[in-house]
Amino acid sequence: MAVTYELIKRCSKTGARAGRLYTPHGVFDTPIFMPVGTQATVKAMSPDELKAMGAGIILSNTYHLYLRPGHDLVAEAGGLHKFMQWDRGILTDSGGFQVFSLGPLRKITEDGVTFRSHIDGSKHFLSPEKATEVQMALGSDIIMAFDECVPFPADHEYARESTERTTRWAERCREAHTRNDQALFGIVQGGMYKDLRAMSAKDLVSLDFPGYAIGGLSVGEPKTLMYEMLEHTVPLLPENKPRYLMGVGTPDCLVEGVMRGIDMFDCVFPTRVARNGTVMTTHGRLVVKNAEFARDFRPIDPECGCYACKNFSRAYIRHLLKTEEIFGLRLTTTHNLHFLLNFMREMRNSILEDRFLAFQEEFWAHYRK
Ligand SMILES: [Zn+2]
């Protein structure tokens, strides 16, 4: 088995749980946040820096790597781990999300999706088999089934047809997948419809994947609706397999997701906003680029132990961002990733000590929405 999950501790009051994932590239503790490295790099960070902040697994995007530099080239380089010099875990998405986001540039059939590259307009075809082949060439530890992320809002009929197709595609991915050092996760869809979420979960669980993602959430719906969908879906998934909530990575959603039994998260948000001068703290977001911080000589977050917070002031970081110095966005990225990884570790400790509910209450007492 490529990837195995060990459930270590269940919270006695909520659905939260602490576990461990064993992969061919190391072991990591869950719940975990996975930094996103779209183009085989977590923007502005070196692999050593990511390791120093305790990142156990990162996410990379199949669509982008398929177009540039091409999965054949990555395979020739010895696989994605070797190509980017990252010897810990890698999860790749299937490319479905990006391809479906192309709007008028793509056409869906039962067979797969024809699309035009956002880079040069060239024509390509991605199918369950192709997405699996590309991810096998990349050599990531966890690969995802090719799915359609049901847009929000979507009517019931469209959501049902799409969700049923996603299940048929998941079966085809399983057929096409031959690398036993990789785990292929199924993705539960179903839009914002409880009956479709239940159908999707049941059908995918019968296909017996080594892990399950919940997709199609955090796509513009109110957060309360996302939590409702999680509450409805997570209990339908097997307890002895990891559960991954796709595209979610703000502190409030991480706490609420963990509370409902999620083990893995990823999101471009923390690194993307960092480059625009927004940082995350236990008290909420701070736009460090704002004029109010021009003479603020305190660290970004006095409670944070990251390299940026231990050494530099808000005023200095603001100055770097205003003058478009590369070091500025390296510092904000360092802080945001360190902050989230540490936040997950603290949350995990609270589960191990069975005080997660108190952790959650303490978090909400300080966090400004
Ligand atoms: Zn910091």
Side-chain angles (χ1 to χ4, degrees):
M1 184 77 150
V3 173
T4 51
Y5 174 76
E6 180 191 359
L7 176 59
I8 292 174
K9 174 96 179 172
R10 237 184 258 113
C11 170
S12 62
K13 297 182 184 74
T14 72
R17 54 195 214 154
R20 194 163 280 158
L21 267 178
Y22 298 82
T23 80
H25 292 89
V27 177
F28 56 86
D29 292 336
T30 60
I32 197 165
F33 174 77
M34 303 182 281
V36 176
T38 298
Q39 317 258 28
T41 173
V42 174
K43 288 190 200 307
M45 292 289 107
S46 74
D48 283 351
E49 288 167 328
L50 292 170
K51 281 187 189 177
M53 46 177 99
I57 178 168
I58 61 164
L59 179 142
S60 206
N61 292 112
T62 291
Y63 168 80
H64 293 276
L65 297 177
Y66 161 77
L67 289 178
R68 285 187 309 201
H71 55 294
D72 294 344
L73 188 148
V74 175
E76 197 183 319
L80 189 53
H81 290 90
K82 191 155 180 235
F83 188 48
M84 66 180 288
Q85 286 300 308
W86 174 254
D87 57 10
R88 294 190 180 174
I90 299 179
L91 180 148
T92 44
D93 64 359
S94 69
F97 185 79
Q98 277 81 15
V99 167
F100 279 98
S101 310
L102 292 171
L105 293 174
R106 51 93 175 137
K107 186 170 170 280
I108 313 164
T109 63
E110 181 64 28
D111 213 23
V113 184
T114 308
F115 64 97
R116 289 195 179 274
S117 155
H118 73 287
I119 302 161
D120 60 7
S122 56
K123 207 170 163 184
H124 300 267
F125 177 69
L126 211 51
S127 63
E129 291 77 16
K130 185 72 186 178
T132 307
E133 178 203 319
V134 173
Q135 294 182 88
M136 285 197 289
L138 296 174
S140 30
D141 302 283
I142 299 174
I143 73 171
M144 303 305 296
F146 189 65
D147 68 327
E148 182 189 3
C149 174
V150 177
F152 177 78
D155 62 50
H156 191 274
E157 193 190 340
Y158 182 87
R160 183 178 53 79
E161 281 171 11
S162 167
T163 302
E164 287 173 351
R165 185 172 53 221
T166 285
T167 300
R168 290 192 295 273
W169 283 359
E171 206 166 350
R172 281 166 58 188
C173 288
R174 213 183 57 153
E175 288 295 309
H177 186 231
T178 55
R179 272 186 78 152
N180 58 16
D181 59 343
Q182 291 183 314
L184 167 68
F185 281 20
I187 306 177
V188 177
Q189 291 289 348
M192 303 301 157
Y193 300 102
K194 286 184 180 174
D195 60 325
L196 300 181
R197 288 274 164 194
M199 174 188 79
S200 177
K202 181 173 160 280
D203 291 346
L204 290 171
V205 169
S206 73
L207 292 172
D208 194 27
F209 288 100
Y212 294 90
I214 300 176
L217 293 179
S218 195
V219 289
E221 79 282 12
K223 284 181 180 177
T224 47
L225 185 53
M226 172 169 91
Y227 301 149
E228 202 184 317
M229 288 298 131
L230 284 180
E231 262 157 43
H232 180 71
T233 310
V234 174
L236 304 172
L237 300 174
E239 203 175 40
N240 61 346
K241 307 269 177 82
R243 305 148 175 177
Y244 160 33
L245 177 56
M246 306 180 85
V248 166
T250 55
D252 53 336
C253 293
L254 292 172
V255 171
E256 296 295 311
V258 166
M259 190 171 87
R260 290 164 175 85
I262 299 294
D263 307 302
M264 303 162 70
F265 302 84
D266 83 284
C267 194
V268 290
F269 180 82
T271 38
R272 183 174 288 163
V273 298
R275 298 194 299 280
N276 293 321
T278 297
V279 289
M280 304 162 115
T281 76
T282 39
H283 302 278
R285 276 171 223 165
L286 210 83
V287 186
V288 73
K289 217 173 173 177
N290 283 353
E292 61 179 300
F293 302 114
R295 288 189 159 71
D296 191 334
F297 301 105
R298 291 173 298 171
I300 291 173
D301 184 347
E303 291 157 48
C304 177
C306 85
Y307 174 71
C309 291
K310 274 195 303 198
N311 295 284
F312 306 98
S313 67
R314 295 172 180 183
Y316 177 66
I317 294 170
R318 176 179 182 272
H319 158 71
L320 294 180
L321 293 168
K322 294 303 277 185
T323 51
E324 293 182 359
E325 285 293 337
I326 293 166
F327 191 46
L329 55 94
R330 282 186 26 78
L331 289 175
T332 50
T333 303
T334 298
H335 167 78
N336 275 0
L337 287 179
H338 177 102
F339 172 79
L340 278 190
L341 292 166
N342 192 52
F343 185 64
M344 297 307 280
R345 276 191 293 266
E346 284 180 1
M347 226 188 300
R348 188 175 191 275
N349 287 337
S350 79
I351 299 168
L352 290 175
E353 293 161 12
D354 207 15
R355 51 174 179 81
F356 173 76
L357 204 56
F359 176 95
Q360 190 243 15
E361 280 162 7
E362 169 89 7
F363 167 79
W364 280 114
H366 295 287
Y367 193 73
R368 199 177 55 230
K369 279 186 214 175

